[in-house]
Amino acid sequence: MSRLCALLAWALLALQGLREGATEEEACCGPIVPRREWRALPSECTQELELPARYVVVSHTVGGHCDTPALCLQQAQNVQHYHARTRGYCDVAYNFLIGEDGLVYEGRGWKIKGDHSGPTWNPRAIGITFMGNFMERSPHPRAIRAAKSLLACGVAQGALLPNYEVKGHRDVQQTLSPGDRLYDIIQEWPHYRE
């Protein structure tokens, strides 16, 4: 079975909660594609986040959008290559990447500090990014559902405080991220705080 077929099969099983060996906790978290599945480069990051985190910073990558597992796998690799090889980070900057295929791609995960929002916010916030540019268009609803599922998962696993606060990237740094359309959406989320 090709890697793409395997990834697609895994995604379908994860969506149904039937993935072999999945714990109850993993099943409630929805489909999170582990680093090995999207063929991430080895991480050189070691600095841990203080958990449970109080903040979540939502951004967008500005790059091309992806709406299939194959395209999103490639996009996650592209983002990591840019951050690790071009920018000199120890890994992809984000804790999680959200694809418009409805899947969450594990970046640094829950425990490792990201490089997404500057020195004030990185040590105390989970950074999630939507792959694509959302200035003029909204992410597909399945991407929004995946992000919300991820946040619920973070609370269930004790990685996020139950009263966590969502911030747009532009709320914590001088940037247009997460894009006007995505920013409009997250401002409606119950945990959003300006």
Side-chain angles (χ1 to χ4, degrees), residues 15 31 66-67 72 98-105 142-143 145-147:
L15 286 169
C66 63
D67 56 9
C72 290
I98 310 294
E100 288 189 88
D101 59 352
L103 299 174
V104 174
Y105 293 78
R142 65 181 163 243
R145 283 192 302 272

Side-chain angles (χ1 to χ4, degrees), residues 64-181:
H65 82 285
C66 63
D67 56 9
T68 67
L71 289 174
C72 290
L73 181 146
Q74 183 61 57
Q75 190 64 12
Q77 291 173 343
N78 293 346
V79 172
Q80 185 189 39
H81 186 271
Y82 174 68
H83 288 163
R85 300 290 191 244
T86 304
R87 303 284 312 264
Y89 296 159
C90 58
D91 196 354
V92 64
Y94 312 106
N95 299 91
F96 297 95
L97 301 93
I98 310 294
E100 288 189 88
D101 59 352
L103 299 174
V104 174
Y105 293 78
E106 178 186 26
R108 295 188 187 190
W110 294 114
K111 296 179 182 176
I112 302 296
K113 179 185 82 64
D115 282 315
H116 47 81
S117 304
T120 300
W121 291 92
N122 290 338
R124 57 192 187 140
I126 297 290
I128 66 171
T129 194
F130 285 72
M131 292 187 278
N133 185 332
F134 302 103
M135 286 300 292
E136 314 248 336
R137 68 178 193 87
S138 298
H140 193 284
R142 65 181 163 243
I144 301 299
R145 283 192 302 272
K148 288 180 175 181
S149 174
L150 176 69
L151 297 176
C153 172
V155 172
Q157 290 188 2
L160 284 174
L161 290 171
N163 63 339
Y164 69 90
E165 295 180 21
V166 171
K167 306 268 186 199
H169 193 188
R170 63 178 65 178
D171 294 327
V172 301
Q173 281 193 309
Q174 195 73 14
T175 179
L176 294 176
S177 179
D180 292 344
R181 299 293 69 83

